[in-house]
Amino acid sequence: GAVVSQHPSWVICKSGTSVKIECRSLDFQATTMFWYRQFPKQSLMLMATSNEGSKATYEQGVEKDKFLINHASLTLSTLTVTSAHPEDSSFYICSATGGALENYGYTFGSGTRLTVV
Amino acid sequence: DAKTTQPTSMDCAEGRAANLPCNHSTISGNEYVYWYRQIHSQGPQYIIHGLKNNETNEMASLIITEDRKSSTLILPHATLRDTAVYYCIVRVSNTGNQFYFGTGTSLTVIP
């Protein structure tokens, strides 16, 4: 149980375009979802926390107008990278939790590798 | 905002126990110690967590010192598939609280 599906697993886009990444909880209701970014050979950096039905809370230094997060249902959160540039190329990972899952740690998606050309 | 210190890298022979240390000298009384691992190009995988008692599950054992300022993750019989980056995280166990990842330990299991 407690599966988080992330889609797409990789995407290549042109500079200036927008890319949407989906994060779905398949067998539980995710009251809270998190979005991370990871550059090569670095650790995961938390970008934002989203609670279902409310605005996301962004970490310091993360541009909320560039990284749009929507958590409109208990099973889906999306991250849209707007006007992507090559420096946005990174590995984006979501995680989710809800209810009793708190006792077993959060479940992470398999990640999305974004390459902006 | 990581509050832990881990060695950058470690090697372990296949079949032997892998002991991964973590220092968390500023841990608060209500903070748990969590361990995750990340295999290359995948999302992190939960391993184990504990507050003050030692914990064991099918994946690993967690030994927390009495003063809770450090802990050790033990993989009893390391396999090549255990090669990964292991993250030690301290966090208050409330629903919705974030996980902040430090630099972790890159464990290489050697045949």
Side-chain angles (χ1 to χ4, degrees):
Chain A
V3 176
V4 173
S5 174
Q6 197 170 333
H7 178 80
S9 56
W10 61 269
V11 58
I12 301 173
C13 73
K14 291 184 177 180
S15 186
T17 63
S18 295
V19 175
K20 180 183 286 188
I21 302 169
E22 292 187 349
C23 180
R24 293 181 183 272
S25 58
L26 298 187
D27 50 3
F28 67 99
Q29 293 186 327
T31 51
T32 308
M33 288 187 169
F34 307 86
W35 288 95
Y36 292 82
R37 180 169 54 181
Q38 185 176 32
F39 293 109
K41 299 188 184 302
Q42 294 187 22
S43 185
L44 286 80
M45 185 189 77
L46 180 66
M47 299 175 67
T49 301
S50 74
N51 293 299
E52 184 265 339
S54 58
K55 290 184 178 181
T57 302
Y58 291 80
E59 295 295 306
Q60 189 173 5
V62 178
E63 302 174 59
K64 63 179 181 180
D65 293 330
K66 181 170 184 61
F67 299 100
L68 302 179
I69 292 172
N70 183 284
H71 190 171
S73 78
L74 285 172
T75 59
L76 174 65
S77 176
T78 60
L79 167 68
T80 301
V81 183
T82 63
S83 187
H85 292 286
E87 57 265 32
D88 298 323
S89 298
S90 187
F91 192 51
Y92 292 86
I93 308 168
C94 69
S95 71
T97 188
L101 286 176
E102 175 61 34
N103 296 325
Y104 304 98
Y106 292 175
T107 301
F108 285 77
S110 54
T112 297
R113 187 159 304 282
L114 169 65
T115 302
V116 185
V117 297
Chain B
D1 197 22
K3 299 169 60 175
T4 63
T5 304
Q6 299 176 252
T8 302
S9 62
M10 293 180 63
D11 293 339
C12 176
E14 186 179 17
R16 305 295 294 269
N19 297 287
L20 293 93
C22 179
N23 286 323
H24 32 79
S25 58
T26 61
I27 191 170
S28 301
N30 60 348
E31 288 183 314
Y32 285 68
V33 180
Y34 290 80
W35 283 85
Y36 279 81
R37 72 179 182 184
Q38 185 180 26
I39 297 170
H40 182 63
S41 294
Q42 297 183 24
Q45 176 190 23
Y46 167 80
I47 301 174
I48 198 168
H49 77 285
L51 182 62
K52 53 184 179 181
N53 297 323
N54 297 338
E55 302 287 344
T56 296
N57 62 21
E58 65 277 5
M59 291 183 68
S61 294
L62 173 60
I63 309 298
I64 303 174
T65 58
E66 192 169 343
D67 62 7
R68 302 209 322 122
K69 292 185 177 182
S70 65
S71 60
T72 301
L73 177 74
I74 301 173
L75 308 178
H77 306 287
T79 70
L80 299 179
R81 287 176 294 182
D82 291 324
T83 293
V85 178
Y86 287 77
Y87 296 98
C88 168
I89 304 166
V90 295
R91 168 186 170 273
V92 176
S93 182
N94 284 338
T95 299
N97 273 11
Q98 298 86 345
F99 280 92
Y100 291 97
F101 287 76
T103 53
T105 296
S106 178
L107 174 69
T108 301
V109 180
I110 302 170

